[in-house]
């Protein structure tokens, strides 16, 4: 059963006859389209891809032959009425976790003869299982990011600004074949490394502090996401202590990953280790997330989501400790879930590197 058949087989659970897809990452999974304006309507009998005149040629070039391409006026929703009449549709699901309240209300007001039913994350568990082509492209994205890390290690020196280093990461990614960054690189030094998602600034990298680096790239639509924390000059005993705890927590979590395991359980493995070592209050984010055409997608590894991992889910494992006034450590790898464990894609070293 292919992805679309697997999705439509779930319609009876939600009492729907079609699904309106507006998430661009989900649209790319389903159709191959890489543009920035489109929607998809999946009925039980036919699949429709809808965009506007700007993407006429691109749609013909990229969209899977499984879809009928419809070009409508920019921003128009009238295609919903036309397709519904043609396919005798009454109950249409929409991605309630994507659509705003205004969008949902607008659909109901505009099409009073149709029932729009909120559906939360119907597609994500299906397309979270990557196919071989997506796995190979992800591996290439990871390879580019690992090589970028290896290259910048030879550039880092005290006095260099965070912004300068972020610019080098971006340049090297592109030079090695990436389309773009997967997200703005996180380059955070000193006490700023205690900010989990710090943006780079004009702060100069100095001796005696952590430098946290979190970056990834896009290769043919698929993404990588790497975090490494290094030391500049000599580090204090507490710096070294929290680094060791995070590294141990990450390894314990990696050892726990396998198909059939609950994401909450894996999160607990790393969280419990950090808590037992006195830093439970300093790990305030989830252990990881799915990785694909979006940098952050399901499944999420945290204490709120209990998802059962499946073969060929690609996820990140990234515990951290963040101590205000001292700095923070995060170590992150991208992994493919297997029946008996996981395949770690990154090759960048995790032993504490001091420059």
């Amino acid at each position: 059963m292919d992805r679309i058949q697997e999705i439509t087989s779930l319609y009876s659970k939600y009492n729907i006859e079609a699904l309106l897809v507006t998430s661009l990452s989900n649209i790319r999974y389903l159709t191959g389209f890489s543009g920035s304006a489109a929607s998809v309507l999946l009925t039980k009998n036919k699949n429709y891809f809808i965009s506007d005149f700007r993407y006429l040629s691109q749609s013909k070039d990229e969209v899977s032959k499984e879809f009928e391409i419809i070009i409508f006026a920019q921003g128009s929703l009238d295609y919903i009425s036309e397709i519904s009449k043609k396919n005798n549709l009454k109950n249409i699901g929409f991605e309630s976790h994507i659509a705003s309240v205004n969008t949902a209300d607008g659909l109901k007001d505009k099409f009073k003869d149709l029932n729009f039913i909120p559906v939360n994350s119907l597609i994500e568990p299906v397309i979270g299982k990557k196919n071989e082509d997506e796995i190979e492209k992800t591996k290439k994205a990871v390879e580019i990011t690992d090589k970028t890390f290896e290259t910048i290690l030879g550039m880092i020196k005290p006095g260099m600004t965070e912004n300068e280093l972020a610019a080098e990461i971006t340049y090297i990614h592109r030079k090695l074949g990436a389309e773009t960054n997967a997200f703005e690189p996180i380059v955070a030094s000193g006490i700023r490394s205690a900010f989990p998602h710090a943006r780079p600034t004009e702060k100069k990298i100095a001796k005696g502090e952590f430098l946290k680096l979190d970056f990834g790239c896009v290769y043919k639509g698929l993404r990588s996401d790497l975090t490494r924390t290094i030391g500049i000059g000599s580090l204090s005993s507490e710096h070294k202590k929290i680094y060791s705890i995070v590294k141990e927590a990450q390894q314990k979590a990696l050892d726990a990953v396998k198909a059939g395991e609950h994401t909450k359980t894996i999160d607990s493995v790393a969280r419990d280790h950090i808590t037992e070592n006195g830093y439970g209050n300093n790990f305030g984010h989830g252990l990881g997330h799915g990785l694909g055409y979006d940098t952050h997608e399901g499944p999420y590894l945290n204490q709120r989501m209990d998802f059962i991992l499946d073969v060929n889910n690609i996820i990140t494992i990234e515990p951290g400790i963040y101590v205000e006034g001292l700095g923070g450590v995060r170590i992150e790898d991208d992994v493919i879930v297997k029946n008996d464990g996981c395949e770690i894609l990154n090759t960048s070293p995790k032993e504490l590197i001091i420059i």
Side-chain angles (χ1 to χ4, degrees), residues 93-316:
F94 68 93
E95 296 177 298
S96 56
H97 58 298
I98 301 294
S100 67
V101 172
N102 286 341
T103 299
D105 289 344
L107 287 170
K108 293 173 183 177
D109 289 342
K110 183 175 178 63
F111 305 103
K112 296 186 183 298
D113 57 334
L114 297 173
N115 297 320
F116 286 93
I117 298 170
V119 175
N120 184 22
S121 299
L122 183 154
I123 291 180
E124 284 74 8
V126 175
I127 61 181
K129 294 174 284 187
K130 303 302 187 290
N131 61 34
E132 288 305 314
D133 180 62
E134 290 162 346
I135 287 172
E136 289 307 309
K137 289 173 182 175
T138 300
K139 287 181 175 180
K140 180 61 178 180
V142 171
E143 178 187 332
I144 290 170
T145 291
D146 276 333
K147 287 181 178 178
T148 299
F149 178 70
E150 180 183 4
T151 302
I152 63 170
L153 281 179
M155 300 179 174
I156 298 169
K157 57 185 178 183
M160 187 179 199
T161 70
E162 295 171 345
N163 275 332
E164 288 172 339
L165 187 52
E168 292 291 351
I169 290 169
T170 300
Y171 171 70
I172 297 166
H173 267 158
R174 296 293 292 268
K175 188 176 181 181
L176 292 175
E179 297 172 26
T180 186
N181 291 327
F183 51 91
E184 180 182 11
I186 295 171
V187 179
S189 59
I191 61 174
R192 298 188 69 257
S193 62
F195 308 159
H197 278 184
R199 300 180 67 179
T201 68
E202 284 301 300
K203 179 190 175 301
K204 293 182 178 181
I205 297 166
K207 292 182 178 179
E209 59 186 29
F210 275 140
L211 173 62
K212 186 179 70 207
L213 304 165
D214 184 348
F215 55 93
C217 74
V218 181
Y219 178 77
K220 295 186 178 179
L222 278 298
R223 298 175 181 236
S224 59
D225 189 1
L226 170 76
T227 308
R228 291 293 186 265
T229 306
I230 65 175
I232 306 298
S234 59
L235 296 178
S236 70
S237 59
E238 187 172 9
H239 279 115
K240 294 177 181 178
K241 178 182 178 182
I242 64 174
Y243 189 93
S244 178
I245 294 168
V246 171
K247 182 172 178 291
E248 292 165 357
Q250 201 227 15
Q251 187 59 57
K252 286 178 178 290
L254 289 169
D255 291 342
V257 173
K258 63 180 179 180
E261 190 59 87
H262 291 250
T263 52
K264 185 183 290 187
T265 301
I266 299 168
D267 178 89
S268 293
V269 168
R271 197 167 302 280
D272 289 349
H273 180 75
I274 290 172
T275 300
E276 289 163 6
N277 282 275
Y279 290 92
N281 292 331
N282 303 95
F283 179 26
H285 59 73
L287 177 67
H289 53 83
L291 186 68
Y293 288 106
D294 271 346
T295 305
H296 293 86
E297 62 178 44
Y300 293 92
L301 290 81
N302 55 41
Q303 291 299 300
R304 299 181 303 279
M305 182 177 187
D306 194 10
F307 179 93
I308 299 175
L309 292 175
D310 203 348
V311 172
N312 289 346
N313 287 149
I314 299 182
I315 59 174
T316 69

